[in-house]
Amino acid sequence: MNRQEVFEYVKQQYGTEPDYPWKDWNAVLRHKDNSKWYGVVLKVGRDKLGLSGEETIDVLNVKCDPVLIGSLRTQPGFHPAYHMNKEKWISVRLDGSAPG
């Protein structure tokens, strides 16, 4: 899945559109009723996720049930949340490495 596919999915499932509060490539996904974040799509250096290489990749940081986070982190393409509370958020690489 890539960033555009994420945006299409959340529009269809939740009726939400990405918000660009920083006027850059990074996009926030918000609940319609209270505007709280449920996800954020960020461009992140591979090294920030403990990966080799210097290029950047897109990740989806998504709020997640803490009970699921431990098992998700064992799957390809899932990482501890970049720049978020690692107990309640998880990062998913949008480079095709996470299971669809």
Side-chain angles (χ1 to χ4, degrees):
M1 186 173 272
N2 62 37
R3 78 174 27 235
Q4 194 55 44
E5 291 169 328
V6 169
F7 297 154
E8 290 169 11
Y9 177 82
V10 300
K11 182 175 183 176
Q12 181 181 18
Q13 291 295 315
Y14 307 110
T16 58
E17 300 270 350
D19 177 26
Y20 296 89
W22 304 290
K23 311 295 186 234
D24 61 10
W25 188 251
N26 301 309
V28 173
L29 303 171
R30 300 176 189 269
H31 292 281
K32 288 176 80 172
D33 59 346
N34 60 15
S35 296
K36 289 186 178 182
W37 295 15
Y38 66 85
V40 59
V41 176
L42 302 167
K43 187 150 296 275
V44 175
R46 291 176 59 85
D47 61 321
K48 303 291 187 203
L49 300 173
L51 301 171
S52 61
E54 295 182 18
E55 59 273 353
T56 59
I57 56 174
D58 287 332
V59 298
L60 168 64
N61 279 357
V62 65
K63 201 165 193 180
C64 183
D65 184 332
V67 173
L68 298 175
I69 288 178
S71 60
L72 285 173
R73 285 189 198 161
T74 66
Q75 301 296 312
F78 290 85
H79 300 271
Y82 170 73
H83 205 62
M84 300 294 272
N85 178 326
K86 290 166 182 36
E87 294 176 12
K88 296 182 180 180
W89 291 76
I90 194 160
S91 288
V92 184
R93 292 195 334 244
L94 298 179
D95 62 358
S97 60

